[in-house]
Amino acid sequence: MDSVELESPLVLPAKDKLSGNVWTAIAHIITAVIGSGVLSLSWSIAQLGWIAGPISLVLFALVTYLSASLLTGFHHYSDHRNDNTVINSSYLEAVQNILGDSNAVVCAWLVYFELFKLGVVYTITAASSIRAIEQSNCYHEQGHEAACEYGIEFYMLLFGIIHIVASQIPNFRSTKWLSVIAAIMSFAYSFIGSGLGLAQAIGNGKIKGSIGGVPTDKPIQKVWLVAQAIGDIAFSYPFPLIFLETQSTLKSPPPGELTMMKASRIAVFTTTVFYLCCGGFGYAAFGNLTPGNILTGFGFYEPYILIDFANACVFLHLVGGYQIFSQTLYALAERSYAERYPESAFIKDFHIWEIRMNPMRLCFRTSYVVLTTSIGMIFPYFNEAVAFAGSVTFWPLVVYFPVEMYIVRKKVVPWTVRWVLLRIFTILCLFVAIFAFVGSVQGIIAKRFG
């Protein structure tokens, strides 16, 4: 199979290279991890209960940390086949250089699928947040019992139109301010959601919820809800994908491996505590009635201005996040077409209002936005979509490839204790991922056709 040229899903500014430290690494990791997935954690804990819910969060955190630990030594890889040292500045480069081109192609498709499904999930979540603002204002004006129900399709179309325009701006993802705004917005709505949950729990005068979680009429319903909850949690821990990119920014001494291990410990611990607070406060406040999205499910009605602000933060964060992740796919398709048809008039630039455009960019990017918007409109189910997104790529990208690269790099001998333990770890995580995948698919089918 031919070598594949891969572009990283995270491109850090060149001027930051070799100037990073443990605190910048922690910031990169936390900013990449904390996002819209946090909005579903209260619902996830509600399905699992007060014991299994927090334990599941901690277990996923441990899996993520183990994955990061395995990736630590991959930045500088000694390739004995060619007798040289390779610097892997991205996850995809590491897979290609250590496991070969065949694995790299599979990994690339998984990463790009990860970016595409994020576009769909972001479309659903952003539309839900804008709709929630209109509903919040309606409830405030007409009372909490008012029939403030609105369709979500219009808001998805609005989100899509915004991105049809924004996607035509070349090199949009290199604008540093976009990432900064997205990070601020994600922290803002996460803190507001957890703060409102804590305030509600204090106002109730008791901690709601139970050991077994939300009861169901049939045992099989409980099984599917637990599977979806696990998928939602998996969606919230994606940071190994940006591990090597972050390490590429670190100055030395101290060695980058030591800095990244310290940053990983602090970041995973901080993120997990934050997730436990966000998920736990929401479940403590609403118990069995915990909504799927803590900010749009209307457990909270007041203060409506604060709820509107939080949902506006979600929308702004996802507008920026959609562009940041989608630009990787745009660049891949446009570069591939340009290399295959270098003389094509389809890639010749023209200008509209000083914005550089070409027919390829206009057609492909518009079609991409239309596709993500259409899928979001067909399956506008937040929790099920998040669970599906988390279950599909968590195992191969967070577990399988790091383990395989570690085995090759460390030359782990088959059937030794370490090899067996790694295989058991991989298989157990695979079963969990399959369980979450089946549950998410069942949930989507039930919502769409039930």
Side-chain angles (χ1 to χ4, degrees):
M1 185 174 293
D2 294 336
S3 175
V4 56
E5 184 179 354
L6 304 169
E7 180 172 335
S8 164
L10 174 67
V11 177
L12 299 170
K15 66 180 181 181
D16 289 343
K17 290 184 177 180
L18 305 180
S19 64
N21 54 41
V22 65
W23 299 111
T24 61
I26 292 170
H28 283 311
I29 293 170
I30 292 179
T31 299
V33 170
I34 295 179
S36 59
V38 74
L39 300 174
S40 68
L41 292 180
S42 294
W43 181 87
S44 299
I45 293 180
Q47 310 314 309
L48 297 168
W50 275 121
I51 293 180
I55 288 177
S56 297
L57 278 170
V58 172
L59 288 177
F60 271 95
L62 292 175
V63 170
T64 302
Y65 178 69
L66 176 59
S67 175
S69 301
L70 297 178
L71 289 170
T72 299
F74 297 162
H75 189 256
H76 289 78
Y77 171 64
S78 297
D79 187 354
H80 299 291
R81 295 169 299 181
N82 300 318
D83 195 26
N84 63 350
T85 299
V86 178
I87 297 179
N88 297 310
S89 59
S90 73
Y91 184 95
L92 295 176
E93 286 182 6
V95 172
Q96 182 169 15
N97 292 325
I98 298 173
L99 298 181
D101 292 338
S102 297
N103 282 282
V105 170
V106 175
C107 183
W109 279 107
L110 285 169
V111 170
Y112 294 128
F113 176 74
E114 167 89 0
L115 301 178
F116 176 79
K117 67 183 176 61
L118 280 176
V120 177
V121 172
Y122 282 10
T123 299
I124 296 170
T125 311
S128 299
S129 294
I130 291 299
R131 180 180 62 176
I133 293 176
E134 186 170 3
Q135 288 178 304
S136 175
N137 294 336
C138 174
Y139 286 128
H140 177 73
E141 295 173 358
Q142 302 181 25
H144 298 173
E145 303 301 323
C148 298
E149 296 298 328
Y150 303 95
I152 198 173
E153 291 80 8
F154 170 78
Y155 304 100
M156 288 191 184
L157 288 173
L158 176 63
F159 189 77
I161 291 171
I162 290 172
H163 284 294
I164 287 176
V165 176
S167 65
Q168 304 307 318
I169 302 175
N171 302 319
F172 197 15
R173 71 196 290 252
S174 65
T175 53
K176 193 173 182 179
W177 59 268
L178 190 64
S179 297
V180 173
I181 292 176
I184 293 173
M185 295 298 102
S186 66
F187 275 103
Y189 67 72
S190 298
F191 276 114
I192 291 172
S194 58
L196 289 172
L198 177 60
Q200 182 75 27
I202 294 173
N204 293 338
K206 64 177 181 179
I207 296 177
K208 295 185 177 182
S210 63
I211 299 299
V214 177
T216 58
D217 295 331
K218 299 179 181 179
I220 191 63
Q221 293 176 331
K222 184 67 175 180
V223 171
W224 297 135
L225 290 174
V226 167
Q228 292 170 31
I230 291 174
D232 285 356
I233 294 173
F235 181 81
S236 303
Y237 280 104
F239 98 82
L241 281 177
I242 56 96
F243 188 92
L244 294 174
E245 287 90 336
T246 302
Q247 189 170 338
S248 297
T249 70
L250 300 178
K251 61 185 178 182
S252 182
E257 289 82 359
L258 296 179
T259 302
M260 282 305 297
M261 284 306 301
K262 182 178 181 180
S264 297
R265 285 194 298 270
I266 296 174
V268 170
F269 176 79
T270 303
T271 302
T272 302
V273 170
F274 187 68
Y275 282 175
L276 288 169
C277 291
C278 291
F281 291 159
Y283 185 38
F286 301 111
N288 293 339
L289 299 178
T290 302
N293 182 326
I294 198 66
L295 289 177
T296 64
F298 285 94
F300 306 117
Y301 290 95
E302 302 292 341
Y304 82 100
I305 293 179
L306 186 61
I307 297 168
D308 287 355
F309 175 73
N311 278 302
C313 289
V314 174
F315 182 79
L316 291 174
H317 170 222
L318 298 182
V319 167
Y322 185 103
Q323 282 301 314
I324 290 170
F325 289 119
S326 298
Q327 289 287 337
T328 296
L329 290 174
Y330 297 159
L332 173 71
E334 291 163 13
R335 185 178 65 240
S336 299
Y337 186 88
E339 290 173 351
R340 181 170 296 184
Y341 307 105
E343 302 301 322
S344 172
F346 205 51
I347 59 174
K348 302 302 181 182
D349 289 342
F350 62 92
H351 291 79
I352 297 180
W353 297 319
E354 300 184 356
I355 297 177
R356 181 170 57 86
M357 304 178 67
N358 63 54
M360 173 62 183
R361 180 182 300 124
L362 182 64
C363 293
F364 176 76
R365 298 188 181 192
T366 300
S367 299
Y368 174 84
V369 174
V370 170
L371 182 59
T372 57
T373 303
S374 299
I375 293 176
M377 293 176 70
I378 295 171
F379 303 104
Y381 315 119
F382 175 73
N383 290 99
E384 292 77 11
V386 170
F388 178 81
S391 64
V392 171
T393 53
F394 183 86
W395 180 77
L397 297 180
V398 179
V399 178
Y400 175 76
F401 284 120
V403 168
E404 293 301 309
M405 287 189 287
Y406 178 83
I407 289 174
V408 171
R409 179 179 177 273
K410 293 293 186 179
K411 299 180 180 178
V412 180
V413 179
W415 301 110
T416 59
V417 173
R418 182 165 50 169
W419 185 90
V420 171
L421 291 175
L422 288 171
R423 291 304 181 198
I424 291 174
F425 168 70
T426 303
I427 293 171
L428 288 176
C429 291
L430 175 60
F431 285 151
V432 172
I434 292 173
F435 176 58
F437 173 77
V438 173
S440 65
V441 171
Q442 186 279 335
I444 291 173
I445 293 175
K447 282 287 185 71
R448 186 74 180 92
F449 303 106

